[in-house]
Amino acid sequence: MHSDRMKKGAERASQRSLLKALGLIDEEIERPLIAVINSFNEVVPGHIHLKTIAEAVKAGIRMAGGTPLEFPTIGVCDGIAMGHTGMKYSLASRELIADSIEVMAIAHAFDGLVFLPNCDKIVPGMLMAAARLNLPAVFVSGGPMLAGKYKGKTLDLNSVFEAVGAHAAGKVNDQELWEIETNACPGCGSCSGMFTANSMNCLTEVIGMGLPGNGTIPAVKSGRVHLAKKAGLKIMEMVERDIRPLDIMNEKTFRNALTMDMALGCSTNTILHLPAIAHEAGVAIDLDLVNEISAKTPHICKLAPAGTHHIEDLDAAGGIHGVMQRLAEANLLALDNITVTGKTLKDNLQNAKILDDTVIRPLDAPYSHQGGLAVLRGNIAPDGAVVKQAAVAPTMLTHEGPARVFNGEEEAVEALYHGKIKHGDVLVIRYEGPKGGPGMREMLTPTSAVQGMGLGESVALLTDGRFSGATRGAAIGHISPEAAEGGLIGLIEEGDTIMIDIPKKTLELKVDAATLAEREKNRVILEPKIKTGYLAKYAGRVTSASTGAILNK
């Protein structure tokens, strides 16, 4: 056992003494030691119930003859952090999560790892750690929140953000706003649409690191506790058979994940996280692969914010394995990869069922014959930009309009709420990238304001930052290179014409080369708004969004 280096032999008596101080007896110490890595806290709704999930995991580990030992990691709630300085720390927390798990797992010589994530950066941070450590591992998330209900309408967190915009436009009064905010998030779990948390938990299942149901079983159902117990059983099988993350995570599995990403229309944040996870696994993902896979993958599920269905509806319709079964019908997935079930994906799909064709559409009746995400290139984004094309109004798939330029989210939001943005405008929000932000914060406030104010079918947003998975509309993020790295987005001036053509995958600034050369001579790159602490160190090492915002070694 891996833990024998820490606990076996006369020379390790002192280590065994410390384990006994925990209350462990000889029989427990002799068994495989399994880390239960719990991102529980009392701040994040997706994590508030993870003590229950952890206890279920421990029960499974003990049933199978292992000794569980729990330790924590941090987690940021992107919704709570949204719209203020706190959001600058969200993406940056991904690296802290991976690093802290690496420290704990190696320092204490665990034999296996069970990861308990649920929201946004915690899932990819843990997947990065799993690949880096390459110890037997199983993931079990806390599960999605149920959708809210109000006056016969289905609500989610995005409903509240858009209601704020509607309130600013005088379309919603104070009482209505209160009713929406009170009913939109009815309990524990990751927010109920195909936002970043649920996107990543679903893709964990596709990659093969989470058991069937990991992405979709609601947080409040007993099935989530059952899944946690099974995860505890399965980690012992992974240890016994020495099945490790790098046996599971390879080029084929990441192609599978991108294929599912396109079929579901996941959050644009997946195009930050999948390359970063793949990097830890020794696999390179080029952004052009996104368009290659999108071109042949039908968009067959349309969940909020792009559609009306929520994760609970997908679960009832057959879940992620149901979607994979449908994609397998068209030979769009590699099926020979081993997974944490101990079986191949092909074997796992033998039990998959599709129970609702309105949620998981047939291949001959997709929402679109192309996938839900697209990478755009052009003089504004020579290294790429990302858009959730499935959530763009048809009238905005191609758009030409005047640039309205803002050096930061706050300036753009102020202009929106004061009625300074008009139909046809293209909002350019820069100095929000990984270095320039620093931290590449999500900007759900301006995108939801655009929707709530009735501008969603006439106004586009461009940024070197990123957008929440809850965003819908012509919101184009991850523009690379960013302004702080000398990208052309930093040279755009008020009133410049910008041309967006999502079907042709292009993003162009209509300004002649001579003018741009003159602007370049006079360019002044703004300094980061935060120059101390963790973010200062992060800004000094972080790379472009086009690389997954990984850190330089």
Side-chain angles (χ1 to χ4, degrees):
M1 287 187 292
H2 187 261
S3 61
D4 284 350
R5 68 186 66 187
M6 176 270 293
K7 68 184 183 183
K8 193 171 184 179
E11 68 276 13
R12 297 302 184 205
S14 56
Q15 282 88 341
R16 291 193 299 275
S17 180
L18 290 167
L19 292 173
K20 289 179 179 180
L22 300 174
L24 299 182
I25 59 176
D26 289 330
E27 289 81 357
E28 289 176 297
I29 295 170
E30 290 166 5
R31 294 176 175 184
L33 302 182
I34 308 299
V36 178
I37 305 164
N38 192 355
S39 57
F40 164 81
N41 60 56
E42 294 183 346
V43 182
V44 186
H47 296 234
I48 190 67
H49 62 305
L50 289 185
K51 284 185 178 180
T52 300
I53 302 301
E55 290 306 316
V57 168
K58 292 177 193 176
I61 292 168
R62 292 190 182 103
M63 279 191 282
T67 298
L69 294 168
E70 181 181 343
F71 67 80
T73 189
I74 63 169
V76 171
C77 177
D78 281 18
I80 295 174
M82 195 74 67
H84 60 92
T85 303
M87 178 47 71
K88 294 177 183 289
Y89 289 81
S90 174
L91 179 61
S93 74
R94 187 185 72 182
E95 317 307 316
L96 276 176
I97 291 163
D99 290 350
S100 66
I101 293 167
E102 175 191 353
V103 168
M104 287 293 290
I106 294 177
H108 302 103
F110 286 104
D111 296 298
L113 315 167
V114 181
F115 291 90
L116 277 61
N118 213 25
C119 295
D120 297 275
K121 295 334 135 299
I122 299 94
V123 187
M126 287 186 169
L127 283 166
M128 290 165 67
R132 188 185 302 173
L133 292 163
N134 200 31
L135 291 167
V138 177
F139 278 65
V140 55
S141 76
M145 185 185 294
L146 295 176
K149 305 290 182 184
Y150 175 61
K151 289 187 175 179
K153 293 182 179 180
T154 303
L155 303 176
D156 53 53
L157 180 64
N158 195 41
S159 306
V160 189
F161 275 98
E162 293 192 3
V164 171
H167 182 268
K171 298 179 179 181
V172 168
N173 64 33
D174 290 349
Q175 180 61 30
E176 289 170 324
L177 181 60
W178 184 88
E179 294 283 0
I180 292 168
E181 74 176 65
T182 303
N183 289 284
C185 299
C188 66
S190 49
C191 295
S192 59
M194 189 52 81
F195 312 144
T196 306
N198 290 326
S199 294
M200 290 309 304
N201 283 322
C202 289
L203 295 186
T204 299
E205 192 174 327
V206 179
I207 289 169
M209 291 299 295
L211 296 171
N214 180 71
T216 61
I217 297 173
V220 296
K221 287 196 171 182
S222 61
R224 181 56 58 176
V225 176
H226 300 165
L227 191 72
K229 290 180 179 178
K230 290 177 183 177
L233 295 172
K234 281 297 176 183
I235 187 56
M236 296 305 296
E237 181 182 338
M238 297 295 100
V239 170
E240 182 180 351
R241 294 175 59 185
D242 196 30
I243 297 174
R244 298 175 181 247
L246 295 188
D247 299 322
I248 296 170
M249 290 193 275
N250 54 43
E251 185 177 355
K252 290 181 181 178
T253 55
F254 286 109
R255 288 186 72 98
N256 281 354
L258 282 171
T259 299
M260 177 61 74
D261 204 339
M262 300 307 121
L264 295 175
C266 290
S267 164
T268 51
N269 283 315
T270 60
I271 308 303
L272 274 176
H273 299 321
L274 286 175
I277 299 161
H279 175 75
E280 294 285 356
V283 176
I285 294 181
D286 185 273
L287 286 188
D288 290 333
L289 187 61
V290 174
N291 287 343
E292 175 193 323
I293 291 176
S294 181
K296 59 186 179 183
T297 306
H299 181 209
I300 56 175
C301 290
K302 203 165 193 174
L303 281 71
T308 57
H309 297 131
H310 288 79
I311 302 294
E312 64 203 70
D313 302 312
L314 178 56
D315 186 63
I320 293 302
H321 272 63
V323 182
M324 284 197 286
Q325 184 188 71
R326 186 134 280 171
L327 294 174
E329 294 171 11
N331 297 315
L332 292 172
L333 298 176
L335 302 178
D336 58 345
N337 294 310
I338 193 74
T339 73
V340 291
T341 65
K343 301 176 181 179
T344 65
L345 185 56
K346 182 178 180 179
D347 292 333
N348 294 346
L349 293 182
Q350 298 301 313
N351 298 319
K353 296 178 182 177
I354 299 170
L355 303 174
D356 189 340
D357 281 342
T358 66
V359 178
I360 305 173
R361 284 196 172 186
L363 294 171
D364 60 359
Y367 290 100
S368 167
H369 291 286
Q370 284 197 355
L373 302 183
V375 170
L376 311 183
R377 293 189 189 269
N379 63 353
I380 297 178
D383 293 341
V386 181
V387 64
K388 185 188 280 194
Q389 61 182 354
V392 178
T395 55
M396 290 298 291
L397 289 171
T398 59
H399 179 75
E400 185 172 311
R404 305 297 308 281
V405 182
F406 303 97
N407 292 326
E409 177 185 9
E410 288 83 359
E411 290 183 14
V413 170
E414 184 180 0
L416 276 163
Y417 286 163
H418 286 85
K420 296 178 181 178
I421 303 303
K422 308 299 181 185
H423 293 281
D425 285 349
V426 179
L427 274 73
V428 177
I429 307 174
R430 62 194 182 194
Y431 289 100
E432 290 288 3
K435 285 185 183 295
M440 199 185 185
R441 57 180 166 174
E442 290 181 345
M443 284 172 280
L444 181 55
T445 301
T447 57
S448 57
V450 165
Q451 295 294 332
M453 298 173 81
L455 299 171
E457 296 190 8
S458 63
V459 167
L461 296 94
L462 311 183
T463 185
D464 52 9
R466 60 195 179 95
F467 294 114
S468 166
T471 292
R472 59 192 178 102
I476 300 166
H478 307 197
I479 288 174
S480 300
E482 60 175 294
E485 288 273 59
L488 187 140
I489 188 173
L491 299 182
I492 300 173
E493 294 186 358
E494 192 81 5
D496 285 351
T497 298
I498 292 175
M499 178 65 200
I500 300 164
D501 193 327
I502 294 173
K504 292 183 178 179
K505 311 296 187 289
T506 59
L507 180 62
E508 293 285 338
L509 176 65
K510 299 296 185 181
V511 174
D512 64 86
T515 302
L516 291 176
E518 190 62 31
R519 291 181 187 178
E520 184 66 58
K521 291 179 185 177
N522 300 310
R523 182 201 289 261
V524 175
I525 294 179
L526 302 183
E527 292 186 355
K529 299 176 184 70
I530 296 177
K531 302 176 185 178
T532 60
Y534 175 61
L535 274 188
K537 291 184 284 187
Y538 178 83
R541 292 186 59 199
V542 71
T543 61
S544 166
S546 62
T547 67
I550 60 174
L551 298 186
N552 280 320
K553 293 183 180 179

